[in-house]
Each structure stands twice: as C-alpha cells, then as structure tokens.
Amino acid sequence: MVARVFLHIGLPKTGTTYLQGILWENKERLRAEGVVLPGRGHREHLWAALDVQERKHLERRDPRAPGSWERLCAELDATPDGTGVVTHEFFCGAGPAQAARAVQRLAPAEVHVVVTARHAAGMLAAGWQEMVKNGSETDLPRAAAADTRSEFGWRTWDLAGVLERWGDVVPPERLHVLPVPPRTEPPDRHWRNLAGVLGLSGDYPVPAEAANPSLGAVQVELLRRVNAHLGSFSSALDRGRWIRGHLAEGHLADQAGERFALDDDLLADCRRRSRRAVDLIADRGYEVVGDVETLLVPDEVPAGRALGSVTDAELLDAAAQVVAGLLEDVRELTVERDRVRESGGPALPSPVRRAARVLRRRRGD
C-alpha cells in the first residue's frame, strides 16, 4: 500500500480541469517522483467519485463505471510505497458517512484531503454556467434556491458545507485548502501550490490557456433556451460532447460577450456563505496554501450585466452566428465524406468521432 494518499475533492470550477490535465499529461513523470495516479484516465476518477456517493444506475454512464472506486484503491494497495493521488471535483458531494468510508478504505495509508476553493459568488456564477453548458434549462435564481444532492448545486458549491463533511474524517493538519490565485499571480501559481502540497518539484509543463472558457450573458442565456429543445441529448456523453463541447465551447465561447452579474440578494447570500467558510477554516486550523482573504466576496465585485436585461434581438444575433458556424462544420464534414468516397478509402469513423475531429481543428488542437 502507498504510504499516503492525497484525495483532491474539488470544489468544481476551481481550476480542477487545469490541474488534472497537468497530472494526467505527466503520469509517468509523477511515477518517477514516487507519485501514483491510479487508473487509466480522468473518467475513472469521475466514476469513482460517483461510486463513493453510491449513485444509482452508474452503469448507464459506462459498463465499466460500477466498482471504479474499489479498482483505484486496489491499485494503490498493490503499490508498495510512495504517494497516491485521486482527483475529481465530484468527490466533494459525498455525505459524511460516504466520506468516512472512503477514508477508511484507504487505510492504513495516511490520507490527506485537498480542497481547491473560491468565494461563493464566483462559485455560483461559474457553477450555474456549467449547469447550462451541460444541458440545464434552470435559470440562475432557481439554481441558487434549489436543495439538491446533485453535483450542480450548493451541495458541492458551498465551501463550508464541504469542509464540515470532509473535515470530520481527517485530522485538521491533513486538510489543505488551496484558494484559486488571483489573476495578478503568475499563471502557474495554482499548479505550484498543489505541487507543493503533493511534494512535487513543480517544474512541469503547464497549458498556455485555461480550460473551460466562460460565456457571456447573452450566450449563456441563448444556450439555456436552446437546451429546452435538446431532449434527445439525454446521456452524459451527449451533453458533455455536444452541448458543452461542440455548441458551448466550440461556438458560443468564440463570441465576445459581457459577463453576467448576480442580483443583490444572491450576492448577499454568497457573502454570508463565504464568511462562514473562512471562519470555519480559522476555527479548525486547516492549512491554507494561498491567501484566505480571496475566499471572501470582495466589497466591490467586477461589473457585469443582469441576465434579465438580455433582449430577443441580442439572442437572435448570437443564434445567427452559431447557425453560420454549424453550417461551416457541416460543409467541412460533407467535403471530407465526399473526398473519402471518391478516393475509395476506408469507411468513415463514427459521426461522433468525425465531428469531434472537426471541433479539434476549429480550436487548432
């Protein structure tokens, strides 16, 4: 069994995709530093997070998903020494008993919990946008008021609640809070903070650009309305690849748009939640790597636009741009199909992979 395990549990929208991308791209280099990233890819850690939470019908995501947590643990069991890292933002949705069982399963390893965090106003805005990018029709006020055990809601967005559940299953000195660094910090600061906690050198290649581009007020409202007509896109794979990947990040994110702002009542609630989290960190003595004050909603928040001010004319213009972009994609796919037919080449890959390649070309990957 590895000597210690760092369980990075999120929160969502705290640079997790960026951090996980660096880890997975450097899996062999991690091994050279004595750090084991079990499994074969990011999805296995996602499945494991849901497995820990005893989600029903996990096999609908993938036949391999059930039992993912145990398989990761078994790989760590079979590793004679060193450090294990398990990372996915959905782990933070586990209940108290589920968190306790997860830590107990990793015994006798010394378990550390890593929580990447941001203030509640930023979390609500980014979390709701992620809901919409994954197919939700729910507007922002309803999302903020919902009482849900889903990964999209205060169950995973509320830092104090997550710290209370997970802070009860490890000693305070083994719970590490990493605030998302402000933009004034070097672009690799977030990674270096995590690397320091994991005991890594930190000198790893990092992405030039952040993952998960944001949408403006007009674009996210357009997507929310389009989602009402996408009933056949019901699987997690469909939502992630087509709504989030192709439509939201492949097309809408290319449009310049004003950021949206929270209403005053939502902002006030976020201030209360953030203050409670910072007070809890101080009371329990958790290690903070970074500036804990950034976990408080600032007195002056960046200017933004009320979602209710978006006009039909603006939505129409944004929709026209999306239709034009999608038509270009169809043309490129058709030209490529005809070229392969004329050359007598092999059968085309599945439509899913074909369109995914088009999207990668659009992004220059």
Side-chain angles (χ1 to χ4, degrees), residues 229-247:
H229 304 279
L230 298 178
S232 64
F233 290 76
S234 57
S235 71
L237 181 63
D238 271 353
R239 294 192 301 270
R241 177 167 284 163
W242 298 111
I243 302 176
R244 183 178 186 272
H246 194 64
L247 181 55

Side-chain angles (χ1 to χ4, degrees), residues 266-278:
L266 294 181
L267 198 57
D269 180 55
C270 289
R271 291 189 193 282
R272 289 190 293 270
R273 291 177 184 274
S274 291
R275 170 49 66 185
R276 180 168 170 262
V278 169

Side-chain angles (χ1 to χ4, degrees), residues 84 137 188 316:
E137 304 170 44
D188 65 346
L316 179 60

